[in-house]
Amino acid sequence: LVWRPTSLAIALILRIPGVSWVLTPILTPSFLMTVFRHPHAKAAVSTLLKTRHAPRGVATLLRHHVVLGKICEEPDTVERIALLVGEPGLGKFLQGFLVVADPEQLARFLRNSATGSLIAALVLRSCPAKAAALVYDERTPLAAAVAGVFQQPTMDLWGTWLTKNHGVDQWVGSWLNDPRGASFAREVLLTPGFIDWVERYLRHEDAKAFVIRLVQQPGVCRFVTWLNRDAAMCRFFAQIASRDSAIEFVTEMLLEPGLDRFMVSLLLRPGNDAALRSMLEHWVRAERSLERVAMTWAQQPRTSQSLARVIMSPGFLDRFVLRRLLLQPGLAEVVVEAMVLVGVRGLRDTVLPLLLSTFAAVLALAASEARSGLDLEIAPLLEELQGADSLFGLAALLLG
């Protein structure tokens, strides 16, 4: 294998249909580990993977996912594969392999519990900037390939195995701070059907814990704000925010100490007020799902407490609601349409009880913090609004 012509010949042979099946008696865990532990294994594997036909040839071996999974369980597998991380030319192999590999076969291989820990260990040994550069040039086909794998059955559970490893949140945060990594993440999120994987992923407690750690990483708020300025991503966020699992997650997240203040600081970044209005417009005009979203939100346990924490956070009412959100152009028309869509019964049965319980939670929270009130100077700010807009703006505040 160290001799390049031999590696090229083997890669070509592996591409032939049925060859990988014929090799079943040979490709046992003991045989493959003997090969990997050979003194010249690194040079041989490196030479093989750098050949032009290696991606398709190696992809055929995924039919032996059980054998490959057992190799991942060996204690020295991580160290031996890590020797190849950063090897010049292997990035091209990885790009090609992900694109040509069968999503179902690759998902079966990844579902092995040891695979998540192995990949997490290899990811943490790599440089986020180099990884972002690797995927950027071929981001569209790679994003489609990655999304196709994650949309396979039970891959949401594998995602939790991967992300619960210590340090993955910091690595992903650094990767998203790179414009190339951020662009690739956007491509993956907008892949048709990927939103369903996100919803299933957020049902797992380990996934929720990972996202909460991730949003607190330095610079992630800039990434979220950048996404909010994209019209397609605004629609994505509106669609995912109307799903039950996402609503439950947001409710739990706002109860985490300090995350209510983080949410307010995120809303205060330029552009996020317009994104929030776009989300309301999507629920009212595109999906016409505002009544269902409000009902689902109201039915979540401790919703009032989570909203109260945000309302009491410094800067939410005075800086965001009164000085930004209510000054959004066209907000009055959207609020009128929202009221018509929700209807009198929805206001009576859903909005008003939630409003009253949230107000009570605000009073209780204020009392517990020994605060006498909110010094917001509301009247001068409302004078900046036009007459009708003031009324509709206040209605938007109540609905919000």
Side-chain angles (χ1 to χ4, degrees):
L1 285 176
V2 177
W3 192 40
R4 185 174 179 81
T6 305
S7 294
L8 180 60
I10 291 178
L12 286 170
I13 292 173
L14 287 174
R15 292 185 56 179
I16 300 175
V19 170
S20 63
W21 178 78
V22 173
L23 294 175
T24 301
I26 301 176
L27 298 178
T28 61
S30 59
F31 171 77
L32 291 177
M33 285 309 303
T34 301
V35 172
F36 281 138
R37 288 167 179 161
H38 192 276
H40 302 299
K42 177 184 176 182
V45 173
S46 177
T47 303
L48 174 64
L49 298 183
K50 290 179 183 179
T51 58
R52 185 177 60 177
H53 302 285
R56 289 190 179 276
V58 175
T60 63
L61 298 178
L62 287 174
R63 71 182 315 274
H64 303 285
H65 59 91
V66 176
V67 174
L68 297 176
K70 291 181 179 179
I71 292 176
C72 295
E73 297 173 0
E74 293 293 328
D76 59 338
T77 299
V78 173
E79 296 298 331
R80 296 188 178 280
I81 298 181
L83 296 175
L84 299 172
V85 175
E87 185 78 13
L90 292 187
K92 196 71 175 177
F93 162 78
L94 183 59
Q95 289 177 338
F97 173 78
L98 291 175
V99 171
V100 303
D102 180 81
E104 185 178 352
Q105 291 184 348
L106 183 55
R108 282 204 299 263
F109 164 65
L110 293 176
R111 287 192 193 107
N112 188 296
S113 59
T115 310
S117 300
L118 171 67
I119 294 181
L122 295 175
V123 165
L124 293 175
R125 291 169 183 254
S126 65
C127 173
K130 291 182 178 179
L134 174 66
V135 301
Y136 182 74
D137 293 337
E138 302 291 337
R139 60 188 178 278
T140 300
L142 279 174
V146 171
V149 173
F150 275 94
Q151 291 178 56
Q152 298 300 314
T154 71
M155 283 303 291
D156 53 304
L157 180 59
W158 184 84
T160 63
W161 291 343
L162 176 67
T163 54
K164 73 178 182 180
N165 286 274
H166 178 72
V168 174
D169 52 335
Q170 299 175 9
W171 191 95
V172 175
S174 300
W175 190 64
L176 294 177
N177 277 323
D178 190 298
R180 297 164 296 186
S183 180
F184 180 77
R186 176 189 174 276
E187 292 277 351
V188 173
L189 290 172
L190 292 179
T191 302
F194 192 75
I195 190 172
D196 297 323
W197 180 86
V198 175
E199 181 187 15
R200 294 193 302 270
Y201 175 75
L202 288 177
R203 294 173 184 169
H204 300 282
E205 294 301 322
D206 287 334
K208 296 175 184 178
F210 167 76
V211 175
I212 290 174
R213 295 195 306 270
L214 178 61
V215 297
Q216 298 179 80
Q217 295 300 315
V220 172
C221 57
R222 291 195 300 269
F223 167 70
V224 176
T225 302
W226 175 74
L227 290 179
N228 281 334
R229 294 170 183 166
D230 183 88
M233 285 306 307
C234 282
R235 290 192 296 271
F236 175 90
F237 285 136
Q239 291 170 3
I240 191 63
S242 65
R243 309 257 180 131
D244 293 353
S245 61
I247 293 175
E248 179 183 355
F249 166 67
V250 172
T251 303
E252 295 177 4
M253 183 178 70
L254 293 178
L255 293 172
E256 289 287 326
L259 281 188
D260 51 337
R261 294 173 180 265
F262 167 81
M263 188 64 68
V264 173
S265 66
L266 180 63
L267 291 173
L268 289 174
R269 296 183 69 88
N272 287 332
D273 48 350
L276 192 60
R277 186 207 63 203
S278 298
M279 182 179 295
L280 178 62
E281 289 180 355
H282 183 85
W283 289 340
V284 173
R285 295 172 177 171
E287 288 188 348
R288 301 188 64 81
S289 60
L290 180 62
E291 182 179 7
R292 181 183 62 80
V293 172
M295 185 177 301
T296 304
W297 186 271
Q299 292 173 348
Q300 294 296 324
R302 304 181 68 187
T303 297
S304 301
Q305 292 91 326
S306 64
L307 293 177
R309 290 178 66 90
V310 175
I311 292 173
M312 292 291 290
S313 296
F316 177 74
L317 288 177
D318 53 344
R319 295 177 59 193
F320 174 69
V321 174
L322 297 177
R323 296 183 180 178
R324 293 198 176 186
L325 181 61
L326 296 187
L327 297 177
Q328 281 290 309
L331 180 64
E333 292 82 357
V334 179
V335 171
V336 170
E337 294 181 36
M339 288 185 172
V340 173
L341 183 62
V342 173
V344 176
R345 178 177 297 179
L347 290 172
R348 181 194 64 192
D349 298 341
T350 303
V351 177
L352 185 58
L354 179 60
L355 177 64
L356 294 176
S357 61
T358 301
F359 180 69
V362 168
L363 295 179
L365 185 60
S368 65
E369 296 180 358
R371 295 175 62 179
S372 58
L374 300 176
D375 183 17
L376 299 179
E377 300 182 1
I378 296 179
L381 293 172
L382 291 180
E383 292 177 359
E384 300 178 8
L385 302 172
Q386 298 300 321
D389 284 344
S390 299
L391 178 59
F392 294 133
L394 283 176
L397 174 60
L398 296 180
L399 284 175

